[in-house]
């Protein structure tokens, strides 16, 4: 008897895996007193195997003339060459040198493979409504468990950097706000408002600026998408009130909320949390070889904390161009993400989540250690490419 597997179920499971699977994978290692790296291994293996399965199953959709696939594969091959060259030609701390093989493995199997798989999917057949429901429920559930555990143990369940901890809350906030604005009739409003404030509380509690900034950027995008002047006035008023709250907190709040302190220093004094010297050093390395770039990392393994500067420093103008060529389908089909009347409404939610992580990579992380940014990039590219092929 031949066993058939529904394509929609496969797509849904894979997209959920890349959207919230990493959040699940960084949960519960601490409460279970396990090594976080070992705890997440099953998820990594699952993503690798599932990506291979998707690529094999959708191999007919792989077009070697597709500029996005050429750009994606071409860039990471170029980057790996630069990585090997850098480790052989420049001095690094011993701990950084030991990470060379791990970095190559991550690029090939946790970046390139899932990204190609996401480009193979026909997004017109995806049940995004169901994916949004599962995503908001999973994120809400994890944060509720997190705060119950925090009340008992005075800690949180997530084994992650504090900035990424904040972005878990930002994701929940963004999805909840989107559903309230555009899909309210399909959800319980009380639940969505609960998720909205739970996510925002997590963002503030994380002590990081990046999630707060991402919340503002994505909220502004969604309000513009709504096209209602009243909502636009609301969001501008809320932003001004928040800035005022940050200023009042600085003068009268005894500096109790760390994220507000850091936001005030950024707004009032242009403080970049010691990123200024990193930016200058990256520009200096780029200027030494503008076409191909120089070393991929600084001696201590630190990166420039800005995707554009890192691309220029590590791969030069050539690498920057190759990297962003993959977004051509997004540019050509921009109406899918900016016109409420075009395409599936949930395409805009995917773009909002992409914007969240695009905001993050302007101030933190390196080119390949934020899977959510890489995966949401491929998803919006795949959506654009699906729209293009359907017009032909």
């Amino acid at each position: 008897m031949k066993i058939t597997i529904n394509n929609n179920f496969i797509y849904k499971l894979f997209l959920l895996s890349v959207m919230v699977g990493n959040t699940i994978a960084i949960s519960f290692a601490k409460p279970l007193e396990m090594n976080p790296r070992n705890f997440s291994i099953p998820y990594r293996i699952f993503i690798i195997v599932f990506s291979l399965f998707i690529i094999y199953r959708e191999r007919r959709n792989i077009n070697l003339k597709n500029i996005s696939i050429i750009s994606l594969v071409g860039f990471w091959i170029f980057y790996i060459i630069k990585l090997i060259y850098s480790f052989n030609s420049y001095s690094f701390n011993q701990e950084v040198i030991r990470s060379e093989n791990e970095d190559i493995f991550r690029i090939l199997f946790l970046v390139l493979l899932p990204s190609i798989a996401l480009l193979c999917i026909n997004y017109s057949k995806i049940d995004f409504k169901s994916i949004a429901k599962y995503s908001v429920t999973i994120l809400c559930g994890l944060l509720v468990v997190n705060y119950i555990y925090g009340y008992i143990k005075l800690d949180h369940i997530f084994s992650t950097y504090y900035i990424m901890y904040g972005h878990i809350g930002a994701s929940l906030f963004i999805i909840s706000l989107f559903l309230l604005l555009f899909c309210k009739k399909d959800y319980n409003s009380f639940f969505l408002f609960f998720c909205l404030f739970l996510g925002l509380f997590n963002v503030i509690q994380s002590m990081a600026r990046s999630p707060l900034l991402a919340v503002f950027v994505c909220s502004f995008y969604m309000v513009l998408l709504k096209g209602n002047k009243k909502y636009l006035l609301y969001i501008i008023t809320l932003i001004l009130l928040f800035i005022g709250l940050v200023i009042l907190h600085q003068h009268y709040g005894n500096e109790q909320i760390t994220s507000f302190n850091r936001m005030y220093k950024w707004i009032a004094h242009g403080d970049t949390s010691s990123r200024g010297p990193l930016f200058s050093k990256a520009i200096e390395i780029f200027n030494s070889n503008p076409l191909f770039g120089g070393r991929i990392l600084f001696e201590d393994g630190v990166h420039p904390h800005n995707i554009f500067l890192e691309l220029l420093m590590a791969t030069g103008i050539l690498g920057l161009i190759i990297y962003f060529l993959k977004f051509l389908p997004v540019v050509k089909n921009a109406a899918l993400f900016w016109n409420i009347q075009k395409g599936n409404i949930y395409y805009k939610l995917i773009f909002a989540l992409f914007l969240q992580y695009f905001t993050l990579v302007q101030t933190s992380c390196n080119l390949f250690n934020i899977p959510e940014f890489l995966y949401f990039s491929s998803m919006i590219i795949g959506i654009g490419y699906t729209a293009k092929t359907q017009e032909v």
Side-chain angles (χ1 to χ4, degrees):
M1 181 178 67
K2 184 178 180 181
I3 298 175
T4 58
I5 304 176
N6 183 274
N7 269 351
N8 189 48
F9 172 77
I10 294 172
Y11 290 156
K12 186 192 300 184
L13 181 59
F14 186 59
L15 291 181
L16 275 171
S17 300
V18 299
M19 287 175 67
V20 296
N22 188 56
T23 305
I24 298 172
I26 60 174
S27 309
F28 305 118
K30 289 166 69 175
L32 295 174
E33 297 182 352
M34 294 177 62
N35 185 308
R37 292 171 67 89
N38 295 336
F39 187 81
S40 65
I41 285 175
Y43 167 72
R44 306 300 180 193
I45 294 173
F46 177 77
I47 288 295
I48 292 169
V49 173
F50 210 160
S51 297
L52 288 169
F53 176 72
I54 292 286
I55 291 170
Y56 175 76
R57 190 177 177 87
E58 307 299 331
R59 60 192 180 279
R60 293 182 183 86
N61 293 336
I62 300 177
N63 184 351
L64 297 179
K65 294 181 181 179
N66 182 337
I67 189 65
S68 297
I69 291 180
I70 294 171
S71 168
L72 178 70
V73 176
F75 173 80
W76 287 114
I77 289 175
F78 179 40
Y79 186 86
I80 288 174
I81 292 171
K82 285 300 305 286
L83 183 151
I84 295 171
Y85 174 79
S86 293
F87 276 103
N88 289 329
S89 304
Y90 300 100
S91 60
F92 290 96
N93 295 348
Q94 284 302 311
E95 185 177 346
V96 179
I97 293 173
R98 286 194 292 269
S99 70
E100 179 180 0
N101 291 334
E102 181 181 342
D103 289 347
I104 294 173
F105 176 87
R106 178 182 289 273
I107 290 168
L108 289 175
F109 296 104
L110 299 177
V111 172
L112 187 55
L113 206 59
S115 296
I116 293 173
L118 288 165
L119 291 179
C120 295
I121 293 175
N122 184 342
Y123 287 89
S124 64
K125 298 180 179 179
I126 300 294
D127 180 10
F128 279 108
K129 179 180 177 181
S130 177
I131 289 174
K133 281 187 175 181
Y134 281 119
S135 296
V136 75
T137 302
I138 290 170
L139 290 173
C140 176
L142 287 174
L143 283 178
V144 168
V145 171
N146 174 62
Y147 283 108
I148 293 173
Y149 178 80
Y151 177 77
I152 298 170
K153 295 287 188 178
L154 301 178
D155 197 1
H156 57 77
I157 63 173
F158 300 102
S159 306
T160 188
Y161 193 47
Y162 77 100
I163 294 176
M164 297 310 300
Y165 175 67
H167 277 277
I168 296 170
S171 292
L172 181 61
F173 177 92
I174 291 163
I175 297 172
S176 303
L177 180 61
F178 181 89
L179 297 178
L180 280 167
L181 287 174
F182 301 104
C183 311
K184 189 176 180 179
K185 66 181 185 300
D186 298 322
Y187 301 86
N188 183 302
S189 295
F190 291 107
F191 172 68
L192 291 181
F193 275 112
F194 172 75
C195 291
L196 192 77
F197 289 108
L198 178 64
L200 186 60
F201 178 77
N202 193 76
V203 166
I204 294 172
Q205 195 250 352
S206 72
M207 303 183 296
R209 290 175 305 180
S210 171
L212 272 173
L213 185 58
V215 161
F216 288 139
V217 169
C218 296
S219 299
F220 196 71
Y221 160 70
M222 288 185 278
V223 168
L224 286 177
L225 197 61
K226 187 72 176 177
N228 188 316
K229 292 181 181 178
K230 180 176 68 175
Y231 283 102
L232 186 60
L233 180 62
Y234 288 162
I235 192 66
I236 292 173
T237 302
L238 285 173
I239 290 173
L240 292 175
L241 285 174
F242 177 80
I243 293 173
L245 181 63
V246 168
I247 294 171
L248 286 173
H249 172 267
Q250 182 67 25
H251 292 289
Y252 304 106
N254 296 321
E255 300 187 351
Q256 292 182 352
I257 304 177
T258 304
S259 56
F260 280 22
N261 299 334
R262 301 183 73 197
M263 186 66 73
Y264 176 82
K265 291 177 182 178
W266 179 54
I267 294 171
H269 306 295
D271 179 71
T272 58
S273 297
S274 302
R275 284 165 171 72
L278 300 178
F279 295 164
S280 299
K281 194 170 182 179
I283 293 170
E284 182 182 331
I285 292 172
F286 163 68
N287 287 334
S288 67
N289 193 341
L291 185 58
F292 297 108
R295 62 191 306 149
I296 62 160
L297 292 170
F298 302 135
E299 294 87 345
D300 55 1
V302 176
H303 43 83
H305 286 74
N306 177 280
I307 188 174
F308 292 97
L309 288 178
E310 184 174 359
L311 281 167
L312 290 170
M313 180 188 91
T315 62
I317 295 172
L318 179 62
L320 182 75
I321 293 171
I322 296 173
Y323 186 87
F324 282 104
L325 273 176
K326 66 183 180 183
F327 288 100
L328 272 179
V330 179
V331 175
K332 290 181 178 179
N333 296 279
L336 288 173
F337 309 107
W338 290 98
N339 188 335
I340 199 68
Q341 304 299 328
K342 296 281 187 178
N344 189 324
I345 184 66
Y346 287 97
Y347 289 170
K348 287 74 176 173
L349 173 59
I350 300 301
F351 190 76
L353 291 168
F354 161 78
L355 276 181
Q356 176 195 180
Y357 290 103
F358 185 69
T359 303
L360 168 64
V361 295
Q362 304 312 308
T363 58
S364 300
C365 309
N366 73 2
L367 286 170
F368 56 86
N369 68 356
I370 300 297
E372 290 86 355
F373 171 67
L374 300 162
Y375 299 160
F376 281 115
S377 294
S378 287
M379 288 173 69
I380 63 169
I381 293 165
I383 288 169
Y385 188 70
T386 295
K388 177 185 173 184
T389 53
Q390 287 182 334
E391 292 175 358
V392 178

